[in-house]
């Protein structure tokens, strides 16, 4: 069967749909310039589970659950579910953790960097520049033979583990709804103020997450791949989807009155330019070495890729470390150990990049 | 006799890098083996943009065989 979403028009339509729905989610309650942010939302999930105790960012985000399950449904309908695993899982875990640490120095994943730009946040220019620089470093490693090794076919259940984890999170969310004025509902933590307290209704978030998960699986939408393919192959296929996301998010923000240009006082952001840049250099390099942006990792996990699932768990762990040890930024600026963590992360990524090179015949 | 590029189990961008590498070496007749739809689409797209035609894609036991010929 021909996959209409794999065409140039298909990827542009998918980017446009994400670009429209993210600001709409913001209008319906999600945080500013954070209609969708894979890194922030996984961080919120880590908080809801009590893996970190930053009170302002604790919520089981149904969008993330929807991304994985929407992709799972699409993969099964189109006979693309393939359970696979075994390609350097520990490396993917470490890359996931440092990708999250870098993203939280900037305060956003590539999707949110695009959405911040589309909302008028000038600091996003530094973040996106850092993202491009990090991915560019990654392409140098690809050119010199870097790869994570081959994955292998495995039991169907292996590919199901992350989707089952997501179903479990959704059950927890339904069984432990937020109690007015309470920061805890049995096992789940909630935020009383801050970004974690800002969210669209559960079912709207889940429905939009499922839709995006479905179409992103079909189109292979990836923001890291967009920049990587442009640098490595001069091929603009995925990039056109990323541009469509920014353009349509900008238009939607204008229509909804959510466009406010400037650097100061932007929602959930800081103005430390060097760290906005370097945080995303780290994240971009880690995404490149791991083969996908955080969204794409969720979609691949939904189609049975157990190694992507490990990356996701690495990101959730990285979020917990970030908030427990003062690595994450806040609107006041970077955390006390954000600088050290960024340099350690870059060193670890370079170590991985230099030592995992091999020429295939 | 076609040159076989075995990219099974490798994730993006390896299958594409290996295919382009083989095309640039001057091979006219290449068969690329991949095991995901994504890699199949990416390799086909890359071949087409490097003055090659994808003449046939056959599905075998858990993998795809992409036949590429210079046009």
């Amino acid at each position: 069967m021909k996959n209409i979403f794999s065409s140039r028009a298909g990827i542009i339509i998918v980017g446009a749909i994400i670009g429209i729905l993210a600001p709409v989610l913001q209008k319906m309650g999600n945080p500013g310039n954070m209609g969708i942010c894979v890194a922030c939302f996984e961080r919120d999930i880590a908080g809801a589970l009590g893996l970190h105790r930053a009170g302002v960012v604790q919520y089981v985000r149904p969008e993330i659950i929807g991304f994985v399950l929407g992709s799972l449904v699409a993969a099964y309908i189109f006979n693309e579910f393939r359970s696979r695993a075994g390609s350097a899982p520990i490396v993917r875990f470490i890359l996931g953790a440092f990708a999250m640490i870098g993203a939280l120095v900037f305060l956003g994943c590539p999707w949110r960097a695009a959405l911040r730009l589309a909302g008028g946040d000038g600091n996003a220019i530094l973040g996106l520049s850092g993202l491009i620089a990090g991915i560019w470093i990654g392409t140098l490693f690809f050119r010199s033979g870097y790869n994570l090794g081959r994955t292998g076919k495995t039991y169907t259940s292996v590919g199901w583990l992350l989707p089952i984890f997501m179903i479990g999170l959704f059950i927890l969310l339904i069984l432990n709804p937020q109690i007015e004025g309470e920061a805890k509902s049995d096992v789940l933590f909630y935020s009383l103020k801050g970004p974690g307290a800002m969210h669209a209704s559960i079912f709207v978030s889940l429905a939009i997450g499922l839709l995006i998960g479905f179409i992103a699986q079909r189109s292979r939408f990836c923001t890291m791949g967009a920049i990587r393919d442009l640098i490595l192959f001069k091929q603009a296929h995925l990039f056109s989807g990323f541009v469509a996301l920014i353009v349509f998010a900008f238009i939607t923000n204008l229509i909804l009155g959510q466009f406010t240009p400037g650097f100061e006082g932007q929602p959930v952001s800081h103005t430390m330019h060097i760290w906005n840049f370097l945080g995303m250099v780290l994240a971009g390099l880690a995404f490149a070495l791991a083969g996908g942006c955080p969204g794409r990792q969720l979609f691949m996990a939904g189609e049975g890729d157990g190694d992507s699932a490990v990356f996701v768990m690495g990101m959730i762990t990285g979020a917990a470390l970030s908030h427990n040890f003062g690595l994450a930024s806040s609107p006041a600026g970077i955390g006390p150990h954000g600088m050290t963590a960024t340099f350690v992360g870059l060193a670890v990524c370079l170590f991985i990049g230099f030592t995992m090179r091999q020429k295939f015949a | 006799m076609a040159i076989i590029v075995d990219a099974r189990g490798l994730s993006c961008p390896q299958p594409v890098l290996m295919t382009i590498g083989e095309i640039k070496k001057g091979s006219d007749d290449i068969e690329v083996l991949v095991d995901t739809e994504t890699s199949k689409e990416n390799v086909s797209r890359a071949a087409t943009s490097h003055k090659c035609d994808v003449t046939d894609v056959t599905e075998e036991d858990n993998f795809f065989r992409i036949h590429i010929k210079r046009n």
Side-chain angles (χ1 to χ4, degrees):
Chain A
M1 192 188 309
K2 181 96 179 97
N3 177 6
I4 48 161
F5 283 111
S6 73
S7 65
R8 175 62 72 92
I11 190 83
I12 290 174
I13 289 168
V14 170
I17 291 174
I18 297 172
I20 293 166
L21 290 178
V24 167
L25 272 172
Q26 179 184 336
K27 191 77 184 171
M28 296 177 85
N30 280 8
N33 293 345
M34 205 193 284
I36 298 167
C37 171
V38 177
C40 315
F41 286 7
E42 288 175 353
R43 181 267 318 273
D44 293 351
I45 289 175
L49 298 175
L51 299 175
H52 67 72
R53 299 298 310 280
V56 291
V57 283
Q58 301 171 331
Y59 181 58
V60 174
R61 294 278 179 186
E63 289 88 349
I64 299 293
I65 296 168
F67 283 0
V68 175
L69 299 181
S71 168
L72 176 86
V73 171
Y76 265 98
I77 289 177
F78 294 93
N79 194 26
E80 290 185 7
F81 185 87
R82 282 181 181 66
S83 212
R84 52 194 191 272
S87 165
I90 181 64
V91 177
R92 293 172 190 267
F93 185 86
I94 300 281
L95 288 173
F98 279 114
M100 178 63 94
I101 288 169
L104 290 180
V105 168
F106 164 67
L107 291 173
C109 69
W111 291 37
R112 181 164 193 249
L115 294 171
R116 281 173 61 171
L117 184 70
D121 180 349
N123 303 296
I125 297 167
L126 281 302
L128 286 167
S129 307
L131 180 71
I132 294 167
I135 295 169
W136 173 74
I137 298 170
T139 63
L140 299 181
F141 286 118
F142 287 127
R143 285 185 203 281
S144 66
Y146 167 84
N147 74 87
L148 287 164
R150 290 179 201 266
T151 181
K153 182 177 154 56
T154 183
Y155 305 100
T156 303
S157 55
V158 173
W160 266 91
L161 281 180
L162 195 80
I164 289 171
F165 175 73
M166 291 295 160
I167 292 168
L169 283 179
F170 190 70
I171 292 170
L172 281 180
L173 181 64
I174 298 303
L175 294 182
N176 304 285
Q178 187 161 16
I179 303 161
E180 185 77 28
E182 296 284 334
K184 199 170 180 217
S185 172
D186 199 6
V187 300
L188 287 185
F189 293 95
Y190 285 91
S191 296
L192 296 176
K193 59 184 173 62
M198 302 169 74
H199 47 82
S201 76
I202 290 175
F203 289 100
V204 168
S205 295
L206 181 70
I208 290 180
L210 285 168
L211 172 68
I212 292 176
F214 190 97
I215 59 176
Q217 192 281 333
R218 300 310 301 141
S219 65
R220 335 308 184 187
F221 182 86
C222 177
T223 57
M224 185 285 297
I227 296 164
R228 179 199 63 200
D229 288 356
L230 198 62
I231 299 173
L232 200 55
F233 306 128
K234 299 191 173 47
Q235 201 220 72
H237 175 76
L238 288 172
F239 191 72
S240 52
F242 193 32
V243 172
L245 188 162
I246 297 174
V247 170
F248 279 84
F250 171 65
I251 295 169
T252 312
N253 276 327
L254 282 181
I255 294 169
L256 297 176
Q258 294 177 162
F259 182 78
T260 322
F263 282 83
E264 301 287 337
Q266 292 287 343
V268 200
S269 73
H270 62 79
T271 56
M272 299 172 79
H273 301 318
I274 291 174
W275 296 101
N276 279 328
F277 179 82
L278 285 178
M280 282 309 256
V281 171
L282 171 56
L285 177 55
F287 296 142
L289 294 179
C293 77
R296 178 77 186 137
Q297 301 280 358
L298 290 172
F299 309 135
M300 289 196 291
E303 54 184 56
D305 188 334
D307 295 319
S308 291
V310 172
F311 184 90
V312 172
M313 290 303 182
M315 283 193 74
I316 291 173
T317 308
L321 295 174
S322 282
H323 284 283
N324 286 336
F325 301 122
L327 319 180
S329 301
S330 71
I334 60 169
H337 302 297
M339 283 187 201
T340 316
T342 303
F343 286 124
V344 169
L346 285 169
V348 170
C349 287
L350 292 176
F351 171 74
I352 289 170
F354 275 112
T355 55
M356 295 184 67
R357 291 181 298 168
Q358 172 191 8
K359 279 286 178 201
F360 280 93
Chain B
M1 190 59 190
I3 304 266
I4 306 283
V5 174
D6 186 358
R8 285 175 293 182
L10 293 170
S11 51
C12 288
Q14 256 72 44
V16 172
L17 277 172
M18 291 163 74
T19 306
I20 294 176
E22 205 52 57
I23 293 171
K24 284 187 174 164
K25 267 196 231 164
S27 309
D28 296 326
D29 190 0
I30 307 169
E31 286 180 18
V32 185
L33 316 183
V34 296
D35 54 4
T36 64
E37 295 278 346
T38 307
S39 292
K40 186 184 83 179
E41 291 169 5
N42 290 344
V43 166
S44 303
R45 205 178 283 127
T48 314
S49 67
H50 281 78
K51 299 193 172 73
C52 291
D53 290 321
V54 175
T55 52
D56 193 22
V57 179
T58 48
E59 190 164 359
E60 301 186 19
D61 186 26
N62 288 315
F63 69 91
F64 300 101
R65 187 182 294 272
I66 309 167
H67 302 259
I68 296 171
K69 280 204 164 63
R70 201 177 293 273
N71 61 19

